[in-house]
């Protein structure tokens, strides 16, 4: 919120009240946590309740807003390929597809903390980890946190690192208007890597949200 001047309203897990950061009624971001840290908790009933609060408390119509689902790729939380059809293949468009599925699932490997390392390190895709807890010592060594992201340079660096990671899997050509093949491609590639090597390449797709919203624009050199 400090970098872009947005207002952020956060609903943390286990908390009944929204926590506000910044003030800008024209540009708002709502960060909503599921009741439990599993995608299987993303039921119609849970989403309807979250959306009801947005409508009643802020006058926001979710159907008019781009929606992103940011999530860890926690291998131990799901059966093999459990996420592929029901979530990865289904949620590919933040504005909604022809079948009415609204939202884009952006996974991070092996955890969302991979985005932080992408902000400051080079060629992070060459690092491999199995679980998020395996990544934490490396992050602690850098002494870098969410509060450290105080300039646009960090956001741009993370987007470049994401592109490097996609290129390493042969997915460097992607279309923001039709992102489904890329999202499925990276999911399948990482699944195969984990099957053969027991780890995931460090990669976060969070920058896709910034590209989708036009906050970061890729330019041909």
């Amino acid at each position: 919120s400090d970098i872009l001047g947005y207002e952020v309203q956060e609903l943390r897990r286990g908390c009944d009240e929204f926590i506000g950061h910044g003030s800008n009624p024209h540009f708002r971001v709502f960060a909503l946590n599921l009741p439990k840290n599993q995608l299987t908790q993303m039921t119609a009933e849970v989403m309807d309740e979250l959306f009801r609060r947005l409508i009643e408390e802020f006058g926001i119509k979710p159907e008019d807003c781009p929606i992103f689902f940011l999530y860890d790729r926690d291998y131990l939380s799901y059966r093999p390929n459990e996420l592929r059809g029901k979530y990865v293949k289904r949620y590919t468009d933040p504005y909604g597809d022809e079948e009415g599925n609204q939202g884009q699932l952006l996974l991070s490997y092996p955890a969302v903390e991979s985005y932080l390392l992408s902000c400051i390190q080079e060629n992070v895709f060459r690092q491999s980890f199995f679980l998020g807890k395996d990544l934490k010592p490396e992050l602690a060594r850098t002494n870098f946190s969410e509060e450290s992201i105080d300039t646009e340079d960090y956001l741009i660096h993370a987007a470049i690192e994401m592109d490097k990671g996609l290129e390493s899997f042969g997915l460097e050509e992607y279309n923001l208007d039709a992102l489904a093949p890329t999202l499925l491609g990276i999911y399948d590639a990482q699944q195969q890597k984990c099957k053969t090597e027991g780890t995931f390449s460090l990669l976060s797709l969070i920058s896709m949200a910034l590209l989708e919203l036009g906050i970061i624009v890729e330019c041909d050199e």
Side-chain angles (χ1 to χ4, degrees):
S1 61
D2 292 338
I3 300 175
L4 302 174
Y6 287 10
E7 175 182 333
V8 177
Q9 292 290 340
E10 181 183 5
L11 185 61
R12 296 178 180 176
R13 187 171 296 110
C15 182
D16 293 330
E17 301 295 330
F18 281 89
I19 300 174
H21 307 273
S23 179
N24 189 336
H26 301 293
F27 296 97
R28 283 175 165 174
V29 174
F30 291 86
L32 312 176
N33 280 285
L34 293 172
K36 293 183 180 180
N37 191 27
Q38 284 187 313
L39 278 177
T40 50
Q41 296 291 314
M42 197 168 70
T43 63
E45 293 77 14
V46 167
M47 299 305 295
D48 286 346
E49 174 60 20
L50 290 174
F51 291 164
R52 180 192 65 78
R53 294 197 60 181
L54 292 182
I55 295 171
E56 294 181 357
E57 298 181 33
F58 298 96
I60 298 295
K61 295 181 179 180
E63 64 270 20
D64 295 336
C65 303
I67 296 175
F68 300 93
F69 304 117
L70 309 181
Y71 203 75
D72 291 339
R73 180 60 186 103
D74 185 351
Y75 189 81
L76 297 182
S77 296
Y78 306 97
R79 297 186 301 274
N81 289 320
E82 181 181 2
L83 300 183
R84 191 182 195 280
K86 192 174 182 180
Y87 299 102
V88 180
K89 192 174 182 179
R90 181 179 181 182
Y91 293 108
T92 61
D93 192 327
Y95 298 94
D97 59 20
E98 295 179 353
E99 298 179 359
N101 299 313
Q102 185 181 4
Q104 190 174 83
L105 177 61
L106 302 178
L107 292 169
S108 291
Y109 297 85
V112 293
E113 287 85 357
S114 62
Y115 181 77
L116 297 178
L117 288 181
S118 298
C119 289
I120 57 173
Q121 293 187 351
E122 297 289 338
N123 300 318
V124 295
F125 68 90
R126 293 176 179 170
Q127 301 182 48
S128 296
F129 302 92
F130 179 47
L131 298 175
K133 66 179 183 180
D134 303 326
L135 173 62
K136 293 185 186 300
E138 174 64 17
L139 188 59
R141 186 186 65 80
T142 67
N143 196 31
F144 190 81
S145 66
E146 295 177 15
E147 289 73 22
S148 305
I149 305 177
D150 54 6
T151 69
E152 295 179 2
D153 291 341
Y154 289 125
L155 306 182
I156 295 171
H157 191 279
I160 293 172
E161 287 300 302
M162 180 190 71
D163 280 352
K164 290 179 183 178
L166 292 174
E167 183 177 2
S168 72
F169 285 112
L171 297 167
E172 63 273 16
E173 298 292 335
Y174 58 85
N175 182 354
L176 291 174
D177 294 326
L179 203 55
T182 301
L183 298 178
L184 285 170
I186 195 62
Y187 178 83
D188 290 340
Q190 290 275 33
Q191 286 290 97
Q192 182 60 37
K193 177 178 173 62
C194 187
K195 182 178 179 180
T196 57
E197 301 180 21
T199 60
F200 297 106
S201 289
L202 195 150
L203 176 66
S204 174
L205 299 183
I206 289 178
S207 294
M208 281 293 183
L210 303 183
L211 290 169
E212 285 274 12
L213 296 173
I215 295 172
I216 294 178
V217 179
E218 290 194 311
C219 300
D220 295 329
E221 296 182 356

PDB file of all heavy atoms in Angstrom, residues 169 171 184-194:
ATOM      1  N   PHE A 169      11.270 -23.503 -17.550  1.00  0.00           N
ATOM      2  CA  PHE A 169      10.355 -24.613 -17.816  1.00  0.00           C
ATOM      3  C   PHE A 169       9.793 -24.561 -19.237  1.00  0.00           C
ATOM      4  O   PHE A 169       8.851 -25.285 -19.564  1.00  0.00           O
ATOM      5  CB  PHE A 169       9.190 -24.594 -16.817  1.00  0.00           C
ATOM      6  CG  PHE A 169       9.558 -25.072 -15.441  1.00  0.00           C
ATOM      7  CD1 PHE A 169       9.576 -24.192 -14.373  1.00  0.00           C
ATOM      8  CD2 PHE A 169       9.885 -26.399 -15.213  1.00  0.00           C
ATOM      9  CE1 PHE A 169       9.905 -24.631 -13.096  1.00  0.00           C
ATOM     10  CE2 PHE A 169      10.218 -26.846 -13.942  1.00  0.00           C
ATOM     11  CZ  PHE A 169      10.230 -25.956 -12.878  1.00  0.00           C
ATOM     12  N   LEU A 171       8.232 -22.000 -20.639  1.00  0.00           N
ATOM     13  CA  LEU A 171       6.935 -21.318 -20.640  1.00  0.00           C
ATOM     14  C   LEU A 171       7.109 -19.800 -20.712  1.00  0.00           C
ATOM     15  O   LEU A 171       6.301 -19.044 -20.176  1.00  0.00           O
ATOM     16  CB  LEU A 171       6.155 -21.689 -19.374  1.00  0.00           C
ATOM     17  CG  LEU A 171       5.793 -23.173 -19.236  1.00  0.00           C
ATOM     18  CD1 LEU A 171       5.310 -23.474 -17.817  1.00  0.00           C
ATOM     19  CD2 LEU A 171       4.720 -23.548 -20.250  1.00  0.00           C
ATOM     20  N   LEU A 184      -1.361 -24.088 -16.028  1.00  0.00           N
ATOM     21  CA  LEU A 184      -1.358 -25.550 -16.014  1.00  0.00           C
ATOM     22  C   LEU A 184       0.028 -26.097 -16.330  1.00  0.00           C
ATOM     23  O   LEU A 184       0.461 -27.100 -15.757  1.00  0.00           O
ATOM     24  CB  LEU A 184      -2.369 -26.082 -17.028  1.00  0.00           C
ATOM     25  CG  LEU A 184      -3.840 -25.975 -16.626  1.00  0.00           C
ATOM     26  CD1 LEU A 184      -4.736 -26.300 -17.813  1.00  0.00           C
ATOM     27  CD2 LEU A 184      -4.154 -26.907 -15.462  1.00  0.00           C
ATOM     28  N   GLY A 185       0.734 -25.415 -17.232  1.00  0.00           N
ATOM     29  CA  GLY A 185       2.067 -25.866 -17.615  1.00  0.00           C
ATOM     30  C   GLY A 185       3.037 -25.831 -16.452  1.00  0.00           C
ATOM     31  O   GLY A 185       3.803 -26.783 -16.238  1.00  0.00           O
ATOM     32  N   ILE A 186       3.013 -24.747 -15.682  1.00  0.00           N
ATOM     33  CA  ILE A 186       3.942 -24.653 -14.554  1.00  0.00           C
ATOM     34  C   ILE A 186       3.548 -25.627 -13.457  1.00  0.00           C
ATOM     35  O   ILE A 186       4.408 -26.220 -12.790  1.00  0.00           O
ATOM     36  CB  ILE A 186       4.028 -23.207 -14.017  1.00  0.00           C
ATOM     37  CG1 ILE A 186       5.243 -23.054 -13.102  1.00  0.00           C
ATOM     38  CG2 ILE A 186       2.774 -22.794 -13.290  1.00  0.00           C
ATOM     39  CD1 ILE A 186       6.560 -23.303 -13.774  1.00  0.00           C
ATOM     40  N   TYR A 187       2.256 -25.831 -13.271  1.00  0.00           N
ATOM     41  CA  TYR A 187       1.808 -26.798 -12.264  1.00  0.00           C
ATOM     42  C   TYR A 187       2.305 -28.199 -12.619  1.00  0.00           C
ATOM     43  O   TYR A 187       2.875 -28.906 -11.774  1.00  0.00           O
ATOM     44  CB  TYR A 187       0.286 -26.787 -12.167  1.00  0.00           C
ATOM     45  CG  TYR A 187      -0.266 -27.788 -11.181  1.00  0.00           C
ATOM     46  CD1 TYR A 187      -0.335 -27.493  -9.823  1.00  0.00           C
ATOM     47  CD2 TYR A 187      -0.706 -29.039 -11.601  1.00  0.00           C
ATOM     48  CE1 TYR A 187      -0.833 -28.418  -8.912  1.00  0.00           C
ATOM     49  CE2 TYR A 187      -1.203 -29.967 -10.695  1.00  0.00           C
ATOM     50  CZ  TYR A 187      -1.270 -29.653  -9.358  1.00  0.00           C
ATOM     51  OH  TYR A 187      -1.756 -30.573  -8.462  1.00  0.00           O
ATOM     52  N   ASP A 188       2.103 -28.603 -13.870  1.00  0.00           N
ATOM     53  CA  ASP A 188       2.516 -29.941 -14.295  1.00  0.00           C
ATOM     54  C   ASP A 188       4.036 -30.099 -14.246  1.00  0.00           C
ATOM     55  O   ASP A 188       4.552 -31.153 -13.851  1.00  0.00           O
ATOM     56  CB  ASP A 188       2.007 -30.226 -15.712  1.00  0.00           C
ATOM     57  CG  ASP A 188       0.493 -30.397 -15.761  1.00  0.00           C
ATOM     58  OD1 ASP A 188      -0.113 -30.673 -14.706  1.00  0.00           O
ATOM     59  OD2 ASP A 188      -0.084 -30.243 -16.856  1.00  0.00           O
ATOM     60  N   ALA A 189       4.757 -29.051 -14.651  1.00  0.00           N
ATOM     61  CA  ALA A 189       6.220 -29.122 -14.653  1.00  0.00           C
ATOM     62  C   ALA A 189       6.770 -29.246 -13.235  1.00  0.00           C
ATOM     63  O   ALA A 189       7.699 -30.023 -12.977  1.00  0.00           O
ATOM     64  CB  ALA A 189       6.798 -27.888 -15.343  1.00  0.00           C
ATOM     65  N   GLN A 190       6.200 -28.490 -12.319  1.00  0.00           N
ATOM     66  CA  GLN A 190       6.662 -28.563 -10.932  1.00  0.00           C
ATOM     67  C   GLN A 190       6.280 -29.901 -10.294  1.00  0.00           C
ATOM     68  O   GLN A 190       7.047 -30.457  -9.492  1.00  0.00           O
ATOM     69  CB  GLN A 190       6.076 -27.402 -10.120  1.00  0.00           C
ATOM     70  CG  GLN A 190       6.643 -26.032 -10.480  1.00  0.00           C
ATOM     71  CD  GLN A 190       7.940 -25.726  -9.742  1.00  0.00           C
ATOM     72  OE1 GLN A 190       8.746 -26.610  -9.456  1.00  0.00           O
ATOM     73  NE2 GLN A 190       8.150 -24.458  -9.429  1.00  0.00           N
ATOM     74  N   GLN A 191       5.113 -30.417 -10.653  1.00  0.00           N
ATOM     75  CA  GLN A 191       4.723 -31.734 -10.146  1.00  0.00           C
ATOM     76  C   GLN A 191       5.725 -32.801 -10.596  1.00  0.00           C
ATOM     77  O   GLN A 191       6.113 -33.684  -9.828  1.00  0.00           O
ATOM     78  CB  GLN A 191       3.323 -32.095 -10.645  1.00  0.00           C
ATOM     79  CG  GLN A 191       2.189 -31.340  -9.972  1.00  0.00           C
ATOM     80  CD  GLN A 191       1.994 -31.756  -8.530  1.00  0.00           C
ATOM     81  OE1 GLN A 191       2.488 -31.102  -7.613  1.00  0.00           O
ATOM     82  NE2 GLN A 191       1.279 -32.840  -8.307  1.00  0.00           N
ATOM     83  N   GLN A 192       6.132 -32.710 -11.858  1.00  0.00           N
ATOM     84  CA  GLN A 192       7.086 -33.682 -12.387  1.00  0.00           C
ATOM     85  C   GLN A 192       8.443 -33.538 -11.720  1.00  0.00           C
ATOM     86  O   GLN A 192       9.107 -34.533 -11.405  1.00  0.00           O
ATOM     87  CB  GLN A 192       7.224 -33.500 -13.902  1.00  0.00           C
ATOM     88  CG  GLN A 192       8.153 -34.504 -14.566  1.00  0.00           C
ATOM     89  CD  GLN A 192       7.707 -35.947 -14.372  1.00  0.00           C
ATOM     90  OE1 GLN A 192       6.506 -36.239 -14.372  1.00  0.00           O
ATOM     91  NE2 GLN A 192       8.661 -36.858 -14.200  1.00  0.00           N
ATOM     92  N   LYS A 193       8.868 -32.300 -11.488  1.00  0.00           N
ATOM     93  CA  LYS A 193      10.157 -32.071 -10.824  1.00  0.00           C
ATOM     94  C   LYS A 193      10.140 -32.655  -9.416  1.00  0.00           C
ATOM     95  O   LYS A 193      11.106 -33.290  -8.981  1.00  0.00           O
ATOM     96  CB  LYS A 193      10.472 -30.573 -10.761  1.00  0.00           C
ATOM     97  CG  LYS A 193      11.766 -30.250 -10.024  1.00  0.00           C
ATOM     98  CD  LYS A 193      12.061 -28.760 -10.029  1.00  0.00           C
ATOM     99  CE  LYS A 193      13.253 -28.435  -9.136  1.00  0.00           C
ATOM    100  NZ  LYS A 193      14.504 -29.086  -9.574  1.00  0.00           N
ATOM    101  N   CYS A 194       9.028 -32.452  -8.717  1.00  0.00           N
ATOM    102  CA  CYS A 194       8.926 -32.986  -7.359  1.00  0.00           C
ATOM    103  C   CYS A 194       8.925 -34.513  -7.370  1.00  0.00           C
ATOM    104  O   CYS A 194       9.504 -35.154  -6.494  1.00  0.00           O
ATOM    105  CB  CYS A 194       7.667 -32.455  -6.676  1.00  0.00           C
ATOM    106  SG  CYS A 194       7.544 -32.891  -4.932  1.00  0.00           S
TER     107      CYS A 194
END
